[in-house]
Amino acid sequence: MTKLGDSLKRRILLWSLLLLIPLVGFGTFGYLQAQRSTEKLVGTEFKDRAFSAADKVSRSLYERFADVVELAENPILASARSTAPSRGAVLARALERQSIVYRLLLVTDMDGKVVASTEAALLGTSLAEDPAFTEGLFGEPYFSPAVYLDPQTHTPTVSFSMLVKDRDTGQDLGLVLSRVDYATLFAENMVAKETFGKTGELLVVDPESGLILCAKDRARIMKTKVPPDLLAAAKKDRSGFLVRTDDATGVEHVWAWATEQGFSIYSGQHVLVFARQEAAEAFATMRTLGRNLLAATAVVVVVILLMGFQVGRSISRPILQLAGIAEGISVGDLTPVRVESGRNEVGRLAGAMKGMVAYLSEMAKTAESLAGKDLTVVPEPKSETDVFGKTFLRMVTTLRDLLVKLRTASEQLATSAEEIAASAASIQRCGESQAAATE
């Protein structure tokens, strides 16, 4: 019986384990799908952040582009009658309004000589060889095609220039030039504000050399380069996303980039804007979800195994008891069943076993009465198909009929014996009479 119970419990546990296979498979599939979806969401979020930053770069420099056009049309600068001090005052006011943006504002004559400047040391110097001057002479607003390192300040710089014409005569008077401190402009206005998480940062990078033009850590500006493979990927695609491990630190980072495309008629310098963050932080939500999913799966596995064990135990114990009762019946033991009946299958089996033991006990009492010469008992069949009850009933009926016949035969035999005795007595009397007559 113990082997039977152990076998049943093992089967139930085995079925529980088989049930776990699709559950674990579904959980693993769901986790992998969630991981891929989260990676796509993170990639999209980072690319959007890089694209938004690149757009801000373009819009901000477009405003500087518009500023130089506005200065060229200023009534004082666009008048041959204006004096150098008055022109200098216009430049000083413009610099004061945008002190964080401009490093230098100046006006030259048509020969490239500086006639007004926000830096007094430059007055009288020549910018005839400066690309901003030579290109600005063509009449269209000029801007540096790339960010360059200013030889005086050694900072990333973008220059703008515009030809100045006399408002009354249309005569070319010279050029107005502006130099934008690229690193300061975007480090304070964008990079410092665009923070995300503890390790997230924005980097503005030169598309040719890979030098960092703008970063939260200003010590890296114009001194540090992005990894060559990352720069190659950014040159190949205007925007993208990848995960790579830092060769120096061994820390895994997520990178997303976008290329500055300019704004309106300003085409921009096509710098690269990178959004970077440690992968552990970027994917923290996904990894937390994965851990929660694994924990939930482990809990479900334990619960199912416990349920399987409990179900196996709840089924095997009463079945083992019923098997013991059946074995007892097979050797004539009709001890009353103590297993509780119920509505489930095992309960119904226990109820049926109780009924069978009660039925057999009743038949045994009937047989015992018969063995005690009591033929007054009348077995009652439990149903039309009660073969055992009907057989007992026929047996009792047959015994009663046989007893009646035996009684009748005995009475007849006694009557015949009396008649024989009477005949013998009559014969004896006749014999005695004849003997007496002879004498």
Side-chain angles (χ1 to χ4, degrees), residues 23-36 293:
L23 178 63
V24 172
F26 178 77
T28 303
F29 176 76
Y31 172 71
L32 294 177
Q33 286 293 102
Q35 184 179 28
R36 284 192 289 268
L293 183 60

Side-chain angles (χ1 to χ4, degrees), residues 182-331:
Y182 201 90
T184 300
L185 172 63
F186 295 114
E188 297 186 18
N189 285 355
M190 185 182 71
V191 173
K193 296 179 180 179
E194 292 284 341
T195 57
F196 43 99
K198 295 181 179 179
T199 61
E201 63 175 340
L202 290 175
L203 300 174
V204 181
V205 176
D206 181 73
E208 297 302 325
S209 64
L211 276 172
I212 294 176
L213 304 175
C214 187
K216 185 166 31 178
D217 182 6
R218 301 198 62 166
R220 301 167 63 190
I221 295 175
M222 300 301 291
K223 297 178 182 178
T224 308
K225 295 183 179 182
V226 297
D229 58 327
L230 187 62
L231 181 64
K235 286 182 177 181
K236 183 178 179 181
D237 298 314
R238 290 184 179 272
S239 64
F241 174 82
L242 57 81
V243 180
R244 71 179 303 278
T245 302
D246 190 281
D247 297 332
T249 63
V251 178
E252 193 177 46
H253 288 84
V254 295
W255 293 80
W257 66 88
T259 305
E260 179 215 358
Q261 298 297 312
F263 182 76
S264 185
I265 60 174
Y266 170 70
S267 59
Q269 284 77 37
H270 303 291
V271 296
L272 300 172
V273 179
F274 287 91
R276 185 184 81 151
Q277 191 175 31
E278 289 186 8
E281 185 177 17
F283 294 127
T285 301
M286 180 191 69
R287 290 173 180 175
T288 301
L289 175 64
R291 288 193 295 268
N292 292 341
L293 183 60
L294 290 176
T297 302
V299 170
V300 170
V301 169
V302 172
V303 168
I304 289 180
L305 289 176
L306 289 176
M307 288 179 61
F309 178 78
Q310 186 63 29
V311 170
R313 184 179 179 184
S314 63
I315 293 176
S316 63
R317 289 181 65 182
I319 286 182
L320 285 174
Q321 292 178 351
L322 295 175
I325 292 170
E327 291 177 353
I329 292 173
S330 67
V331 294

